[in-house]
DNA sequence: AAAGAACCGTACCGTACGGTTCGTGTTGGT
DNA sequence: ACCAACACGAACCGTACGGTACGGTTCTTT
């Protein structure tokens, strides 16, 4: 039985894990190490050195190395917040702007170095059964975002601006139109083209095509 | 300077690395280990044991562990072959069938356990500079496929069946419509839904939507 | 049949890292 | 001023794995 001081399974998905500021500072250092050098660059000794804390504190706070990694994922996920939709007062133009802004925010998060590093980390640990990290990233990252997207799209359908049967299916199409293969290419170490870095334009064209498929 | 007996950069992208049958058998065992347990399950000692060869031979053939990993990637990539298009004799219906078949083949390869394992491997090693594995997978996998797709789509445009400016851009949209977020979810250890496992239906709907965007 | 190359199995070495323990200092409460 | 809790840093241990060396075996070539 490997027990960890930080057990995500006992905390509600939307409840912040409530790290102390000191712990958050350490986790920020851990994230920096991950972004710079990948998982093997994040050693307990190295983190203790760069964060000016002791290994003993790390193990006291996070249980073991896996708990530390899970804490980094949860910590970073807690910092990503998609703005809630303004409400039902929006007309067609502002709704479409909301959708475009959502897509741009999605791409901004997804293509950020922190997100890429954590996705790489979770993916490389997604082989063993009882895979905490992958599930953690899915439930605290993707599922949150997709729930947010579904409510946004359903609002558009309710106003007669969009037409689809399954909100999840519609969201997946929007995701595919916006992300294409860029995410996997970035994860593999490729660099985005100049056009792909213009997230405003990318979001606009994706939403344009989405409307041609699902506009009312 | 880390030298390896297997240096992919000196071989043409379309030239088979020409492993001996014995070496290919060992690489097949290595791939099995990777699929079952991820990168950390592929140890030199473990591979020597399961493949009934000596560690000395592994180092003689592949230089070092990185060379072994690169050889596994190159070996598996060499086994994936997309059928070339039948030619210019096709009418609109059969051309569309060709596109659909291409998409289905793409999904079959991408969602296969071997591809997922190698993608996980390359991604987890895509942090260090001079990243061989990620580039290797991109060059011998994705770029091959996208070249094949571009020529297919351009044939369709030439026949007046499709309408687009940039073949690469059109292919990316087709990719996004077909793959959506399924690839990244599978990489993270999620399981595809029943509908997502029906690759024929997935390919059909993706091509349908693609035609609504790019059909002439 | 003899020579030589290739290869297997195993034992071995060095290192890196996860995890533990301990001595010392620092801080905050009474 | 005293004490208890906390945490820093360093030393230490066990293990796992990459890489090497070597003796014995099989297969090929002449």
């Amino acid at each position: 039985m490997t027990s960890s001081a930080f057990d995500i399974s006992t905390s509600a998905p939307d409840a912040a894990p409530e790290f102390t500021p000191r712990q958050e500072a350490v986790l920020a250092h851990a994230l920096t190490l991950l972004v710079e050098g990948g998982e093997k660059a994040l050693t307990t000794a190295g983190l203790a050195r760069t964060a000016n804390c002791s290994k003993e504190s790390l193990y006291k706070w996070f249980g073991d190395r896996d708990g530390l990694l899970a804490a980094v994922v949860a910590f970073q996920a807690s910092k990503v917040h998609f703005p809630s939709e303004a409400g039902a007062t929006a007309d067609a133009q502002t709704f479409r702007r909301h959708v475009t802004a959502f897509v741009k925010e999605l791409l901004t998060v997804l293509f950020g170095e922190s997100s890429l590093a954590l996705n790489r980390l979770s993916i490389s640990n997604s082989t063993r059964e009882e895979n905490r990290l992958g599930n953690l990233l899915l439930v605290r990252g993707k599922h949150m975002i997709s729930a947010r997207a579904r409510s946004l799209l359903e609002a558009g359908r309710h106003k007669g601006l969009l037409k689809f049967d399954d909100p999840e299916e519609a969201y997946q199409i929007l995701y595919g139109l916006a992300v294409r293969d860029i995410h996997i290419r970035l994860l593999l170490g490729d660099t985005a083209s100049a056009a792909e870095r213009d997230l405003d334009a990318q979001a606009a064209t994706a939403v344009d095509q989405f409307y041609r498929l699902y506009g009312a």
Side-chain angles (χ1 to χ4, degrees), chain A:
Chain A
M1 183 64 179
T2 72
S3 74
S4 164
F6 174 68
D7 188 357
I8 191 59
S9 64
T10 63
S11 67
D14 52 350
E18 286 171 0
F19 297 114
T20 69
R22 176 75 178 123
Q23 291 168 355
E24 290 192 355
V26 172
L27 292 177
H29 274 110
L31 184 58
T32 302
L33 289 177
L34 276 180
V35 168
E36 286 175 352
E39 174 168 8
K40 71 180 178 349
L42 180 57
T43 64
T44 56
L47 177 59
R49 191 177 341 109
T50 62
N52 283 326
C53 70
S54 69
K55 288 173 68 175
E56 188 178 10
S57 300
L58 294 181
Y59 284 97
K60 181 184 185 63
W61 293 334
F62 307 112
D64 57 6
R65 188 172 183 274
D66 285 346
L68 171 65
L69 295 177
V72 175
V73 172
F75 168 64
Q76 174 65 11
S78 74
K79 292 203 306 185
V80 174
H81 280 84
F82 277 53
S84 235
E85 194 203 1
T89 69
D91 60 320
Q93 259 194 6
T94 57
F95 175 76
R96 179 161 174 160
R97 269 204 299 274
H98 280 161
V99 176
T100 308
F102 172 86
V103 172
K104 186 194 174 186
E105 178 71 14
L106 174 68
L107 295 181
T108 304
V109 170
L110 235 52
F111 298 168
E113 284 300 330
S114 299
S115 167
L116 292 176
L118 292 184
N119 271 278
R120 291 196 185 102
L121 170 65
S122 302
I123 286 172
S124 64
N125 285 349
S126 72
T127 175
R128 263 283 184 252
E129 304 311 313
E130 199 58 30
N131 162 29
R132 288 173 63 196
L133 259 55
N135 290 332
L136 195 53
L137 204 68
L138 282 170
V139 77
R140 321 240 331 177
K142 288 192 79 62
H143 291 179
M144 292 298 201
I145 294 173
S146 93
R148 172 81 187 81
R150 281 198 307 271
S151 82
L152 178 62
L153 296 181
E154 278 176 334
R157 178 173 62 176
H158 184 259
K159 290 172 201 152
L161 302 172
L162 297 175
K163 181 175 169 62
F164 52 80
D165 291 334
D166 182 6
E168 174 67 23
E169 180 190 319
Y171 165 63
Q172 290 221 1
I173 294 301
L174 180 59
Y175 179 102
L177 288 171
V179 174
R180 293 123 127 195
D181 69 344
I182 304 178
H183 196 199
I184 183 67
R185 277 174 34 223
L186 294 179
L187 286 173
L188 283 167
D190 198 12
T191 56
S193 70
E196 287 166 350
R197 269 191 285 267
D198 183 356
L199 300 188
D200 281 297
Q202 293 291 311
T205 56
V207 170
D208 184 62
Q209 290 171 320
F210 180 73
Y211 265 71
R212 286 167 63 192
L213 291 176
Y214 290 97

